[in-house]
Structure formats: structure tokens, C-alpha cells
Amino acid sequence: MHVDLLNPAQSARTAHLLHQHAPLVHCMTNDVVQTFTANVLLALGASPAMVIDAGEAAQFSAIASAVLINVGTLTQPRAQAMRAAVESANAAKTPWTLDPVAVGALTLRSEFCRGLLQLQPAAIRGNASEILALAGESHGGRGVDTTDTAATALPAAQKLARESGAIVAVTGEVDYITDGQQTLAVQGGDPLMTRVVGTGCALSAVVAASCALPGSRLENVAGACALMKFAGQQAAGGRGPGSFMPAFLDALYAMNAEVAA
Amino acid sequence: MHVDLLNPAQSARTAHLLHQHAPLVHCMTNDVVQTFTANVLLALGASPAMVIDAGEAAQFSAIASAVLINVGTLTQPRAQAMRAAVESANAAKTPWTLDPVAVGALTLRSEFCRGLLQLQPAAIRGNASEILALAGESHGGRGVDTTDTAATALPAAQKLARESGAIVAVTGEVDYITDGQQTLAVQGGDPLMTRVVGTGCALSAVVAASCALPGSRLENVAGACALMKFAGQQAAGGRGPGSFMPAFLDALYAMNAEVAA
Amino acid sequence: MHVDLLNPAQSARTAHLLHQHAPLVHCMTNDVVQTFTANVLLALGASPAMVIDAGEAAQFSAIASAVLINVGTLTQPRAQAMRAAVESANAAKTPWTLDPVAVGALTLRSEFCRGLLQLQPAAIRGNASEILALAGESHGGRGVDTTDTAATALPAAQKLARESGAIVAVTGEVDYITDGQQTLAVQGGDPLMTRVVGTGCALSAVVAASCALPGSRLENVAGACALMKFAGQQAAGGRGPGSFMPAFLDALYAMNAEVAA
């Protein structure tokens, strides 16, 4: 199982492309992380929008540059709206990304996510437990937490990538990004990122945005992972998770401003 | 098309009235901006409340000082609840304000907002694309972003004000507030306000609150626009959008504290 | 009516237990406070999760360490999901906590909360108006605000505790925590806590978490109240509610870090 370290220049390159192309990201995400997700995309120069009625979501998928499907607070009506958005995205060739939050132990989301795998996701981003469960290798972790390291789930991620055609990012202390053949590893980040809600979900939104960029999708998705880890490192060193959050958004914005300069 | 610059003293006057009257603002707003909207109102000394069941929303409109209807994440059940709230508000003579987020390209919200125009809104606050679309002059912008300047939409805003009876605020780098006859312009603000989600939506909540105040509604709505721009200027100069947000709330609170002193 | 002041060491003891046991708290809470609630629990070392589909919520209640039911933005579908979660929690002996936001004047939540009282809540946390209304002693306050002091509602809280079997915390400038026989008082806090949305709702989540801890539930719930007031005091002294929020989370995290050291 060969793994390459991502070229350290890729995170600035992805930040530059995000700033330059300002993708409009249609985020169908969970209730808990909507504000933070929007602010992360805005700090990077991308443009978030949340539309959740089934009819409107389908209309919007055709306008948007990218779609994010995050099942953290899934309900039956939202599942229908998400499915409509994905089908419309596919018809419009808009790339869509899946964040299978807490898939495994909970029935509605597990069946829904497995069904979505047939609909050609551009990317999938999850923690080890989620990727293992989505690949059918386990029954998932303790809610949103993972009880496995990302490396443990790498074979499942590679299998999932080959079967679904998606770039799969399994993230943790080290992130692994794979298309099923080639695998890139991304180091960095800070433990405080796990004490702030939504860093993983917001990463999935940046992954979704990166799928709208030109160039290698594998490298752009890995670049999305890398720039979030870089901002996490920049923001650490404060007094705790409260001061971490503004510092994290400022660090993302600084990457955006640097590449703009 | 004559436009007057708002008297610079109006923003402190509106802040004073908000602090003094502490209006209870029933916010039926989108999922992304609820926390920020509540915190903006609290910083100014107003009192936010979010109630979304149709029956409860109708009950609450009769108790509240003002109602905000923001269609950013509209669904069919929420549209029904909002309509019930508006009808109850009208019966109780509670002023209600419309924020027609991303109206135009998306069907559900466009039809819903056009229907609401018949129900005597006290105020309407939107960006240029939204006001143009609501007035029937265009099909709306790229999602929540505007592709027009506020000045472009001023004739549409004036027409909309005359037809609906509402004070219409079309906001952007310069804000224009009109009753269809008289028009006030408000300058200020900072570009960072567009890199933080919810500044426009929170402004609509402050506009809603200002409609519960005594005195000229045109001047109070313009004062609401002005105090948000003033706080935006106070909060700029930091390291990015992350540090901007706390500084913005602190600046609103300082206006509140100054007038209280 | 005898009241004891809580032992000042209890707040550090509860913080220590939260850090040590890291309870998984299933939060079915309102739309406005979800992010802040999650961040408060994470700062303390607990693990939040929000699951809202009725079927999934029932599955998750059996996995979680504790459940929070907050009716701030109740709808009919959510009421059904919450009821399913509570019944599953009871079957699995998972303690569940009720936050009866704005109960009294609004029909759906009032009937729903009164029905829940039959289902053995472990704890109830509300302001004076909410506790008075839930105990059937009044018709509730002006929305989410309270117009009574906590002391006024203490007899109602004690009656409610005896009738429901729950620990009842009625909170305000002074918090009172009672099992119907013994009553503890907690002082501290800062007025800025009322200018930030969600401090009360997040406290209810910490109360829910504290019900999963070993030892005296009365003391653990009082400890939850005390550690939030302590963090509020630590965070005050800044420039306003904007800078208060990060400082508040940092203060909670510091309690966590201190006990971990």
C-alpha cells in the first residue's frame, strides 16, 4: 500500500484556485455546523448557499458550482431534497460531495448514504469509522466520534474509491486522500480542531468546493485537507477552543489574501 | 431621483430607541444565521425569539413587538408557518419585515414572497438582485450574491415601496432606504462584512426591530442600516473575518452602552 | 424553606467528572443554539451529537450517555422524534433532561412538556417563568425572557421536583437546584451571559451531561450550574458580548485542562 506525502505547495495552490474561481457551493448540511461552514467558505473566497426545499434544491444544484451532502441531521424530507439535488447535480454535471456523518449505527442515514453511492459522488470525506461503515467493513463508531485511526480505514477508503468512482478522503491525525490507485497523505493540524464543532463538516464543504476547480481532483481534494490543517496549526497556541475559532477563520482568510496579493 | 444623505445622528438615535424599548422580535429566519441574528439583537438591547410551528408562530406574532420573515431556507411547512405568523401579526397590528433572500431564480420562495407583498409588510430589506427580482424587474442573481449595485435597483425599490406600502431598503456598498417618495442614503460599512455570513440577514432583523419604534419609520429603518454600517467600520482593522465577528458584536454593544450611560 | 449554598469545590469536581467520563450527550435542541451548545460540551471534554429523525433519535438514545430535550423551536415532527427519543432513553435507562423554553403562553410546547413530565425526567432546567408555568402556577413570561426572579419560582420548582422525580434547576441571578427536599443555591455569573444567545440552553446540555455522572445527581446538577457561572465570571471584563463568547469557551476549556493536569 504505497502512500505519497502531498506536495506542501498544494495547499497554497488550492487556496489560490478557490480564491480565483470563487465556486458557489450548495451546502445541504446539518443544523449544527451551517454558520461555521458558510464562514469557512467565505473566508477562502468561495460563496456558500444553503437551499433545502426539494424543488428549490434541485433548481439550485443546476446553478451551483458544487454540491455538498452532509447527513448529520438527516430527516425523511431532507433525504428526499438531497436526493433531488444530487440527481439534478448529475444532470447538470455539477460535482457533488458526500459527508456520511455517523453512518453505520443509525438506519436512515446508512441506507440513504449507501443508495447515494450509486449516484457518482465526486468526493467522499469522512473519519475512519464512517469510511469503514460506508465501505461495509464495520457498523460505525460512537456517534460522530471515531474510534479508529485514519490509516486503519485506508484499505476501505481505497476500495470505496474504486467502487464509487469518488475521491475518498479519510481524515484524522493524518489525512489520506485516494482515488483507489494513488494515495496522498496530509499531515498537520492541531488537537484543538476536535474541540470545536464543525471542523470536519466544514472541511467537507471545502472538499466540495475543490471539486469545482480545474486540474487534478485528487490533488485539489488533498489541497483542501492540507489548507484546513495548515489553518488549524496557525490558529493553535491561543487560550482554548473559543479563541481558536476566530483565529482559524482569520488564518484561512490570510491564505486567501496572500494568494490575492 | 432625489436622494438625501441620512443625518449622521440617526444611527445613535435608533440605537437609543432600541435600547429603551427593547422590542421583542419574532425572527422566522433561515437556518444559517439564527445565532448571529439573535446575538446582534441582544447586543443592541433588543430581545430575539425564534418560534417556528405554525400554531405557535401565530400565537407569538400577537405577543411580539415585531416579526421578521427571512426565506433563506424556506420549506413548504415553514412557508405555511410564516404565512400564519404574518396574518396574525396583521390582526394584532404587529409590524412585519420581509427579507426575500435569493428571490428570483428559485420558485418556491419567489411565489411565496410575491404573495406576501399583498399582506402589508412594514419593511423589506434586500440586496439589489433581490429587490429587482421582487419588483418583477429581473430574475434574480447568483444565489445570495448580488450582481448589481444598490443604486441600479433604486427605481425598483421605489416602485416596490409605492406598491406594497413598505419601507424598502436596498443595501450594498451604499444603502438606499425609501418609502417611494423620499429616499435616504447610508454610507459606511466595510468589505469584511461580506466575508461573514449573516450580516445582511441580521440587518433585516434590526430593521424589523426598528419598525416597532416610535417616530419616523423611514428614519428608523435608515438608522438601523446606519448603525450596522457604523459597527462594521468599528470592527474592521482586525486580522480577518474571524476576529471581525466578535468585534462587530462588541461595537453594537458599545453603541447600546453609550446611549445607556 | 431551607437553602444551602453549594460547596464551592463542586464546580471543579463536576468539571473533573465530565472530563473523565466524557459523556456522549444526545442533544435534541433548538435551531438557534446548536453550535454554541456543541462547543460548550466539547470545551468541557464531553461529546455532543445531534440526531433528529424519529427513528434515528430513538436508536441514538440507547447509545448515548444522556439526552437533552429543548423545545425552543418545537414542531410537530420534532415533538414526535423527541417523544420517541425519551421513550427509548427510558427503556435504556439513559437519563434525559428537559429544557422547557418559553413554556406557558405557547400551546404546542406547553402540552408537549406537560406530557413529558410523566416520563421521568432526570432533570429540568428553566428560568423562573418557565418553571412557574411548567408547575402550573402561571402562564409563562414574555417569550424566552423571564419576568420573575429564580427565588420567586423556588416553591414551584420544589413542587415540580417532588411530582416529577426530577432534579429541578431554576436559574437566574442566583440558581436554585432542588430535588424537592434539599435545595442548593449557586451564585456568580455575569450579566453579559444574558446578552449572548444560548447560555441557558447550553447550561441545560451540561445539566444533561451531569446526569450521566456517578455520585449525587443533585450535587452534579448544581455543579453544572456552578461551572457555567464560574466561566461567565472568568469571561467578563472584555469589551462586550462578542469577545465574551470565545472567552467563555476558553474558560470552560481551562477548567477541563486544569483538572486534566
Coordinates of all heavy atoms in Angstrom, one line a residue, chain A residues 33-119:
Chain A
V33 N -23.7 22.9 12.0 CA -22.5 23.5 11.5 C -22.7 24.4 10.4 O -21.7 24.8 9.7 CB -21.5 22.3 11.0 CG1 -21.2 21.3 12.1 CG2 -22.2 21.6 9.8
Q34 N -23.9 24.9 10.1 CA -24.2 25.7 9.0 C -23.4 27.0 9.0 O -22.9 27.4 8.0 CB -25.7 25.9 8.8 CG -26.5 24.6 8.8 CD -27.6 24.7 7.9 OE1 -27.6 25.4 6.9 NE2 -28.6 23.9 8.1
T35 N -23.5 27.7 10.1 CA -22.8 29.0 10.2 C -21.3 28.9 10.0 O -20.7 29.6 9.2 CB -23.1 29.7 11.5 OG1 -24.5 29.5 11.8 CG2 -22.7 31.1 11.5
F36 N -20.7 27.9 10.7 CA -19.3 27.8 10.6 C -18.9 27.4 9.2 O -17.9 27.9 8.6 CB -18.8 26.7 11.6 CG -17.3 26.6 11.7 CD1 -16.6 27.7 12.2 CD2 -16.7 25.5 11.4 CE1 -15.2 27.6 12.3 CE2 -15.3 25.4 11.5 CZ -14.5 26.4 12.0
T37 N -19.6 26.5 8.6 CA -19.4 26.0 7.2 C -19.4 27.2 6.2 O -18.5 27.4 5.4 CB -20.4 25.0 6.8 OG1 -20.3 23.9 7.6 CG2 -20.2 24.5 5.3
A38 N -20.4 28.0 6.4 CA -20.5 29.2 5.5 C -19.3 30.2 5.7 O -18.8 30.7 4.8 CB -21.8 29.9 5.7
N39 N -19.0 30.4 7.0 CA -17.9 31.3 7.2 C -16.5 30.8 6.8 O -15.7 31.6 6.3 CB -17.9 31.6 8.7 CG -18.9 32.7 9.1 OD1 -19.2 33.6 8.3 ND2 -19.5 32.6 10.3
V40 N -16.3 29.5 6.8 CA -15.1 28.9 6.3 C -15.0 29.1 4.8 O -14.0 29.6 4.2 CB -15.0 27.4 6.6 CG1 -14.0 26.7 5.8 CG2 -14.7 27.2 8.1
L41 N -16.1 28.8 4.1 CA -16.1 29.1 2.6 C -15.9 30.5 2.3 O -15.1 30.9 1.4 CB -17.4 28.5 2.0 CG -17.5 27.0 2.0 CD1 -18.9 26.6 1.5 CD2 -16.5 26.3 1.1
L42 N -16.6 31.4 3.0 CA -16.4 32.9 2.8 C -15.0 33.3 3.0 O -14.4 34.1 2.3 CB -17.4 33.7 3.6 CG -18.9 33.6 3.2 CD1 -19.8 34.2 4.3 CD2 -19.1 34.4 1.9
A43 N -14.4 32.8 4.1 CA -13.0 33.2 4.4 C -12.0 32.8 3.3 O -11.1 33.5 3.0 CB -12.6 32.6 5.7
L44 N -12.3 31.8 2.6 CA -11.5 31.3 1.5 C -11.8 31.9 0.2 O -11.2 31.6 -0.8 CB -11.6 29.8 1.4 CG -10.9 28.9 2.5 CD1 -11.4 27.5 2.5 CD2 -9.4 29.0 2.2
G45 N -12.8 32.8 0.1 CA -13.2 33.4 -1.1 C -14.2 32.7 -1.9 O -14.6 33.1 -3.0
A46 N -14.7 31.6 -1.4 CA -15.8 30.8 -2.1 C -17.1 31.4 -1.6 O -17.2 32.3 -0.8 CB -15.7 29.3 -1.7
S47 N -18.2 30.9 -2.2 CA -19.5 31.5 -2.0 C -20.5 30.4 -1.6 O -20.8 29.5 -2.4 CB -20.0 32.2 -3.3 OG -21.1 32.9 -3.1
P48 N -20.9 30.4 -0.3 CA -21.8 29.3 0.2 C -23.3 29.7 0.0 O -23.6 30.9 0.0 CB -21.5 29.3 1.7 CG -21.2 30.7 2.0 CD -20.5 31.3 0.8
A49 N -24.1 28.7 -0.2 CA -25.5 28.9 -0.2 C -26.2 27.7 0.3 O -25.8 26.6 0.0 CB -26.1 29.3 -1.6
M50 N -27.2 27.8 1.1 CA -28.0 26.7 1.7 C -29.4 26.8 1.2 O -30.1 27.8 1.5 CB -27.9 26.8 3.2 CG -26.7 26.3 3.8 SD -25.2 27.4 3.6 CE -24.0 26.6 4.8
V51 N -29.9 25.8 0.5 CA -31.2 25.8 0.0 C -31.7 24.4 0.3 O -31.1 23.4 -0.1 CB -31.2 26.0 -1.6 CG1 -32.6 25.8 -2.2 CG2 -30.7 27.4 -1.8
I52 N -32.9 24.2 0.9 CA -33.3 22.9 1.4 C -34.6 22.3 0.9 O -34.9 21.2 1.1 CB -33.2 22.8 2.9 CG1 -34.1 23.9 3.6 CG2 -31.8 23.0 3.4 CD1 -34.2 23.8 5.1
D53 N -35.5 23.2 0.4 CA -36.7 22.6 -0.2 C -36.3 21.7 -1.4 O -35.4 22.1 -2.2 CB -37.6 23.8 -0.6 CG -38.7 23.3 -1.5 OD1 -39.7 22.7 -1.0 OD2 -38.7 23.6 -2.7
A54 N -37.0 20.6 -1.6 CA -36.6 19.7 -2.6 C -36.6 20.3 -4.0 O -35.7 20.2 -4.8 CB -37.5 18.4 -2.6
G55 N -37.7 21.1 -4.3 CA -37.8 21.7 -5.7 C -36.7 22.7 -5.9 O -36.0 22.8 -6.9
E56 N -36.5 23.6 -4.8 CA -35.5 24.6 -5.0 C -34.1 24.0 -5.0 O -33.2 24.5 -5.7 CB -35.7 25.6 -3.8 CG -36.9 26.5 -3.9 CD -36.8 27.7 -3.0 OE1 -35.9 27.8 -2.1 OE2 -37.6 28.7 -3.3
A57 N -33.9 23.0 -4.2 CA -32.6 22.4 -4.1 C -32.2 21.8 -5.5 O -31.0 21.9 -5.9 CB -32.5 21.3 -3.0
A58 N -33.2 21.2 -6.1 CA -32.9 20.7 -7.5 C -32.6 21.8 -8.5 O -31.6 21.8 -9.3 CB -34.1 19.9 -8.0
Q59 N -33.4 22.9 -8.4 CA -33.1 24.1 -9.2 C -31.7 24.6 -8.9 O -30.9 25.0 -9.8 CB -34.1 25.2 -9.0 CG -35.5 24.9 -9.4 CD -36.5 26.0 -9.1 OE1 -36.6 26.5 -8.0 NE2 -37.2 26.5 -10.1
F60 N -31.3 24.7 -7.7 CA -30.1 25.3 -7.3 C -28.9 24.5 -7.7 O -27.8 25.0 -8.0 CB -30.1 25.7 -5.8 CG -29.1 26.7 -5.4 CD1 -29.2 28.0 -6.0 CD2 -28.1 26.4 -4.6 CE1 -28.3 29.0 -5.7 CE2 -27.2 27.4 -4.2 CZ -27.3 28.7 -4.8
S61 N -29.0 23.2 -7.6 CA -27.9 22.3 -8.0 C -27.4 22.5 -9.4 O -26.3 22.3 -9.8 CB -28.3 20.8 -7.9 OG -28.2 20.4 -6.5
A62 N -28.4 23.0 -10.3 CA -28.0 23.2 -11.6 C -27.3 24.5 -11.8 O -26.6 24.7 -12.8 CB -29.3 23.2 -12.5
I63 N -27.5 25.5 -10.9 CA -26.8 26.8 -10.9 C -25.5 26.7 -10.2 O -24.5 27.4 -10.6 CB -27.7 27.8 -10.2 CG1 -29.1 27.9 -10.8 CG2 -27.0 29.2 -10.2 CD1 -30.1 28.8 -10.0
A64 N -25.4 25.9 -9.2 CA -24.2 25.9 -8.3 C -23.0 25.4 -9.0 O -23.1 24.6 -10.0 CB -24.5 25.2 -7.0
S65 N -21.8 25.7 -8.5 CA -20.5 25.1 -9.0 C -20.3 23.7 -8.3 O -19.6 22.9 -8.9 CB -19.3 26.0 -8.6 OG -19.6 27.4 -8.8
A66 N -20.8 23.5 -7.2 CA -20.6 22.2 -6.4 C -21.7 22.1 -5.4 O -22.3 23.0 -5.0 CB -19.2 22.3 -5.7
V67 N -21.9 20.8 -5.0 CA -22.9 20.5 -4.0 C -22.3 19.7 -2.9 O -21.5 18.8 -3.2 CB -24.1 19.7 -4.7 CG1 -25.1 19.2 -3.7 CG2 -24.8 20.5 -5.8
L68 N -22.7 20.0 -1.7 CA -22.3 19.2 -0.5 C -23.5 18.5 0.1 O -24.5 19.2 0.3 CB -21.7 20.1 0.5 CG -21.5 19.4 1.9 CD1 -20.4 18.3 1.9 CD2 -21.1 20.5 3.0
I69 N -23.4 17.2 0.4 CA -24.5 16.5 1.0 C -23.9 16.0 2.4 O -23.0 15.1 2.4 CB -25.0 15.3 0.2 CG1 -25.5 15.7 -1.2 CG2 -26.0 14.5 0.9 CD1 -26.7 16.6 -1.2
N70 N -24.4 16.5 3.5 CA -23.9 16.1 4.8 C -25.1 15.6 5.6 O -26.1 16.4 5.8 CB -23.2 17.3 5.5 CG -22.9 17.1 6.9 OD1 -23.7 16.6 7.7 ND2 -21.7 17.4 7.3
V71 N -25.1 14.4 6.1 CA -26.3 13.8 6.6 C -26.4 13.8 8.2 O -27.2 13.1 8.8 CB -26.4 12.3 6.2 CG1 -26.5 12.2 4.7 CG2 -25.2 11.5 6.8
G72 N -25.6 14.8 8.8 CA -25.6 14.8 10.2 C -26.9 14.9 10.9 O -27.1 14.3 11.9
T73 N -27.8 15.8 10.4 CA -29.2 15.8 11.0 C -30.2 15.5 9.9 O -31.1 16.3 9.6 CB -29.4 17.2 11.6 OG1 -29.1 18.2 10.6 CG2 -28.6 17.5 12.8
L74 N -30.0 14.3 9.3 CA -30.9 13.9 8.3 C -32.3 13.6 8.8 O -32.5 13.2 9.9 CB -30.4 12.5 7.7 CG -31.0 12.1 6.4 CD1 -30.5 13.0 5.3 CD2 -30.6 10.7 6.0
T75 N -33.3 14.0 8.0 CA -34.7 13.6 8.2 C -35.2 13.1 6.9 O -34.6 13.2 5.9 CB -35.6 14.8 8.6 OG1 -35.5 15.8 7.6 CG2 -35.1 15.5 9.9
Q76 N -36.4 12.5 6.9 CA -37.0 12.0 5.7 C -37.2 13.1 4.6 O -36.8 12.9 3.5 CB -38.3 11.3 5.9 CG -38.3 10.1 6.8 CD -37.9 8.8 6.1 OE1 -37.6 8.8 4.9 NE2 -37.9 7.7 6.8
P77 N -37.8 14.3 5.0 CA -37.9 15.3 4.0 C -36.6 15.8 3.4 O -36.4 16.1 2.2 CB -38.6 16.4 4.7 CG -39.3 15.8 5.9 CD -38.4 14.6 6.2
R78 N -35.6 15.9 4.3 CA -34.3 16.3 3.8 C -33.6 15.3 2.9 O -32.9 15.6 2.0 CB -33.3 16.6 5.0 CG -33.7 18.0 5.6 CD -32.6 18.4 6.6 NE -33.3 19.1 7.7 CZ -32.6 19.6 8.7 NH1 -31.3 19.5 8.8 NH2 -33.3 20.2 9.7
A79 N -33.8 14.0 3.2 CA -33.3 13.0 2.4 C -33.9 13.1 1.0 O -33.1 12.9 0.0 CB -33.6 11.6 3.0
Q80 N -35.2 13.3 0.9 CA -35.8 13.5 -0.4 C -35.2 14.7 -1.2 O -34.9 14.7 -2.4 CB -37.3 13.6 -0.3 CG -38.0 12.3 0.1 CD -39.4 12.5 0.6 OE1 -40.0 13.6 0.3 NE2 -39.9 11.5 1.3
A81 N -35.0 15.8 -0.4 CA -34.5 17.0 -1.0 C -33.0 16.8 -1.5 O -32.6 17.2 -2.6 CB -34.6 18.2 -0.1
M82 N -32.3 16.1 -0.7 CA -30.9 15.8 -1.0 C -30.8 15.0 -2.3 O -30.0 15.2 -3.2 CB -30.2 15.1 0.1 CG -29.9 16.1 1.3 SD -29.2 15.2 2.7 CE -28.8 16.6 3.8
R83 N -31.6 14.0 -2.3 CA -31.6 13.1 -3.5 C -32.0 13.9 -4.7 O -31.4 13.7 -5.8 CB -32.6 11.9 -3.2 CG -32.7 10.9 -4.4 CD -32.4 9.5 -3.9 NE -32.2 8.7 -5.1 CZ -31.6 7.5 -5.1 NH1 -31.1 7.0 -4.0 NH2 -31.5 6.9 -6.2
A84 N -33.0 14.7 -4.6 CA -33.4 15.6 -5.8 C -32.2 16.5 -6.2 O -32.0 16.7 -7.4 CB -34.6 16.4 -5.4
A85 N -31.5 17.0 -5.2 CA -30.4 17.9 -5.5 C -29.2 17.1 -6.2 O -28.6 17.6 -7.2 CB -29.8 18.5 -4.2
V86 N -29.0 15.9 -5.8 CA -27.9 15.1 -6.4 C -28.3 14.7 -7.8 O -27.5 14.8 -8.7 CB -27.7 13.8 -5.5 CG1 -26.9 12.8 -6.3 CG2 -27.0 14.2 -4.2
E87 N -29.5 14.3 -8.0 CA -29.9 13.9 -9.4 C -29.8 15.1 -10.3 O -29.4 15.0 -11.5 CB -31.3 13.3 -9.4 CG -31.3 11.9 -8.8 CD -32.7 11.3 -8.5 OE1 -33.7 12.0 -8.7 OE2 -32.7 10.1 -8.1
S88 N -30.2 16.3 -9.8 CA -30.1 17.5 -10.6 C -28.7 17.9 -10.9 O -28.3 18.3 -12.0 CB -30.9 18.6 -10.0 OG -30.6 19.9 -10.5
A89 N -27.8 17.7 -9.8 CA -26.4 18.0 -10.0 C -25.8 17.1 -11.1 O -25.1 17.5 -11.9 CB -25.7 17.7 -8.7
N90 N -26.2 15.8 -11.0 CA -25.6 14.9 -12.1 C -26.1 15.3 -13.5 O -25.3 15.3 -14.4 CB -26.0 13.4 -11.7 CG -25.2 12.9 -10.6 OD1 -24.1 13.4 -10.3 ND2 -25.6 11.7 -10.0
A91 N -27.3 15.7 -13.6 CA -27.8 16.1 -14.9 C -27.1 17.3 -15.4 O -26.8 17.4 -16.6 CB -29.3 16.4 -14.8
A92 N -26.7 18.2 -14.5 CA -26.0 19.4 -14.8 C -24.5 19.3 -14.8 O -23.8 20.3 -15.0 CB -26.5 20.6 -13.9
K93 N -24.0 18.1 -14.6 CA -22.6 17.8 -14.4 C -22.0 18.7 -13.3 O -20.8 19.1 -13.4 CB -21.9 18.0 -15.7 CG -22.4 17.1 -16.9 CD -21.4 16.9 -18.0 CE -22.0 16.1 -19.2 NZ -22.6 14.8 -18.8
T94 N -22.7 19.0 -12.3 CA -22.2 19.7 -11.1 C -21.6 18.6 -10.1 O -22.3 17.7 -9.8 CB -23.3 20.4 -10.3 OG1 -24.0 21.3 -11.3 CG2 -22.8 21.2 -9.2
P95 N -20.3 18.7 -9.8 CA -19.8 17.7 -8.9 C -20.4 17.8 -7.5 O -20.6 18.9 -7.0 CB -18.3 18.0 -8.8 CG -18.2 19.5 -9.2 CD -19.4 19.8 -10.1
W96 N -20.7 16.6 -6.9 CA -21.3 16.6 -5.5 C -20.4 15.7 -4.6 O -19.9 14.7 -5.0 CB -22.7 16.2 -5.5 CG -23.0 14.8 -5.9 CD1 -23.1 14.3 -7.2 CD2 -23.2 13.7 -5.0 NE1 -23.4 12.9 -7.1 CE2 -23.4 12.6 -5.8 CE3 -23.1 13.6 -3.6 CZ2 -23.6 11.3 -5.2 CZ3 -23.3 12.4 -3.0 CH2 -23.6 11.2 -3.8
T97 N -20.4 16.2 -3.3 CA -19.5 15.5 -2.3 C -20.4 15.0 -1.2 O -21.3 15.7 -0.8 CB -18.5 16.6 -1.8 OG1 -17.6 16.8 -2.9 CG2 -17.8 16.1 -0.6
L98 N -20.1 13.8 -0.7 CA -20.8 13.2 0.4 C -20.0 13.3 1.7 O -18.8 12.9 1.8 CB -21.1 11.8 0.1 CG -21.8 10.9 1.2 CD1 -23.2 11.5 1.5 CD2 -22.0 9.5 0.7
D99 N -20.6 13.7 2.8 CA -20.1 13.6 4.2 C -21.0 12.7 4.9 O -22.1 13.1 5.4 CB -19.9 15.0 4.8 CG -19.3 14.9 6.2 OD1 -19.3 13.8 6.8 OD2 -18.7 15.9 6.7
P100 N -20.6 11.4 5.1 CA -21.5 10.4 5.7 C -21.5 10.4 7.2 O -21.1 9.4 7.8 CB -21.0 9.1 5.1 CG -19.5 9.4 5.0 CD -19.4 10.8 4.7
V101 N -21.8 11.6 7.9 CA -21.7 11.7 9.3 C -22.4 10.6 10.1 O -23.6 10.3 9.9 CB -22.3 13.1 9.8 CG1 -22.2 13.2 11.3 CG2 -21.7 14.2 9.1
A102 N -21.6 10.0 10.9 CA -22.1 9.0 11.9 C -22.9 7.8 11.2 O -23.7 7.2 11.8 CB -23.0 9.6 12.9
V103 N -22.5 7.6 9.9 CA -23.1 6.4 9.2 C -22.7 5.1 9.9 O -21.6 5.0 10.5 CB -22.6 6.5 7.7 CG1 -21.3 5.9 7.5 CG2 -23.7 5.9 6.8
G104 N -23.5 4.2 9.8 CA -23.2 2.9 10.4 C -24.3 2.4 11.4 O -25.2 1.6 11.1
A105 N -24.3 3.0 12.6 CA -25.3 2.6 13.6 C -26.7 3.0 13.4 O -27.6 2.5 13.9 CB -24.8 3.0 15.0
L106 N -26.8 4.1 12.6 CA -28.2 4.8 12.5 C -28.8 4.4 11.1 O -28.1 4.6 10.1 CB -28.1 6.3 12.7 CG -27.5 6.7 14.1 CD1 -27.2 8.2 14.1 CD2 -28.4 6.3 15.2
T107 N -30.0 3.9 11.1 CA -30.5 3.2 10.0 C -30.8 4.2 8.8 O -30.4 3.9 7.7 CB -31.8 2.5 10.3 OG1 -31.5 1.6 11.4 CG2 -32.4 1.7 9.2
L108 N -31.5 5.3 9.1 CA -32.0 6.2 8.0 C -30.8 6.6 7.1 O -30.7 6.5 5.9 CB -32.7 7.4 8.5 CG -33.2 8.4 7.5 CD1 -34.1 7.8 6.5 CD2 -33.8 9.6 8.2
R109 N -29.8 7.2 7.8 CA -28.6 7.7 7.1 C -27.8 6.6 6.4 O -27.2 6.9 5.4 CB -27.8 8.6 8.0 CG -27.0 7.8 9.1 CD -26.4 8.8 10.1 NE -27.4 9.5 10.8 CZ -27.1 10.7 11.4 NH1 -25.9 11.2 11.5 NH2 -28.1 11.3 12.1
S110 N -27.7 5.5 7.1 CA -26.9 4.4 6.5 C -27.5 3.9 5.2 O -26.8 3.8 4.2 CB -26.8 3.2 7.5 OG -26.2 3.7 8.7
E111 N -28.8 3.7 5.2 CA -29.4 3.3 3.9 C -29.4 4.4 2.9 O -29.1 4.1 1.7 CB -30.9 2.9 4.2 CG -31.0 1.6 5.0 CD -32.4 1.1 5.4 OE1 -33.3 1.9 5.1 OE2 -32.5 0.1 6.0
F112 N -29.6 5.6 3.3 CA -29.6 6.7 2.4 C -28.2 6.9 1.7 O -28.1 7.0 0.5 CB -30.0 8.0 3.1 CG -29.9 9.3 2.3 CD1 -30.8 9.4 1.3 CD2 -29.0 10.2 2.5 CE1 -30.8 10.6 0.5 CE2 -28.9 11.4 1.8 CZ -29.9 11.6 0.8
C113 N -27.1 6.8 2.6 CA -25.8 7.0 2.0 C -25.4 5.9 1.1 O -24.8 6.1 0.1 CB -24.8 7.1 3.2 SG -24.9 8.7 4.1
R114 N -25.8 4.7 1.5 CA -25.4 3.5 0.6 C -26.1 3.7 -0.8 O -25.5 3.4 -1.8 CB -25.8 2.2 1.2 CG -24.8 1.9 2.4 CD -24.7 0.5 2.8 NE -23.9 0.5 4.1 CZ -24.5 0.4 5.3 NH1 -25.8 0.1 5.5 NH2 -23.7 0.4 6.4
G115 N -27.4 4.2 -0.7 CA -28.1 4.5 -2.0 C -27.4 5.5 -2.8 O -27.3 5.4 -4.1
L116 N -26.9 6.6 -2.2 CA -26.2 7.7 -2.9 C -24.9 7.2 -3.6 O -24.5 7.8 -4.6 CB -25.9 8.8 -1.9 CG -27.0 9.7 -1.4 CD1 -26.4 10.9 -0.7 CD2 -27.8 10.2 -2.6
L117 N -24.3 6.2 -3.0 CA -23.0 5.7 -3.6 C -23.2 5.3 -5.1 O -22.2 5.3 -5.9 CB -22.5 4.5 -2.8 CG -21.9 4.8 -1.5 CD1 -21.4 3.6 -0.8 CD2 -20.8 5.9 -1.6
Q118 N -24.4 5.0 -5.5 CA -24.7 4.6 -6.9 C -24.7 5.8 -7.8 O -24.8 5.7 -9.0 CB -26.0 3.8 -7.0 CG -26.2 2.7 -6.0 CD -25.1 1.8 -5.9 OE1 -24.6 1.3 -6.9 NE2 -24.6 1.4 -4.7
L119 N -24.8 7.0 -7.2 CA -25.0 8.2 -8.0 C -23.8 9.1 -8.2 O -23.8 10.3 -8.3 CB -26.1 9.1 -7.3 CG -27.5 8.4 -7.2 CD1 -28.5 9.3 -6.5 CD2 -28.0 8.0 -8.6

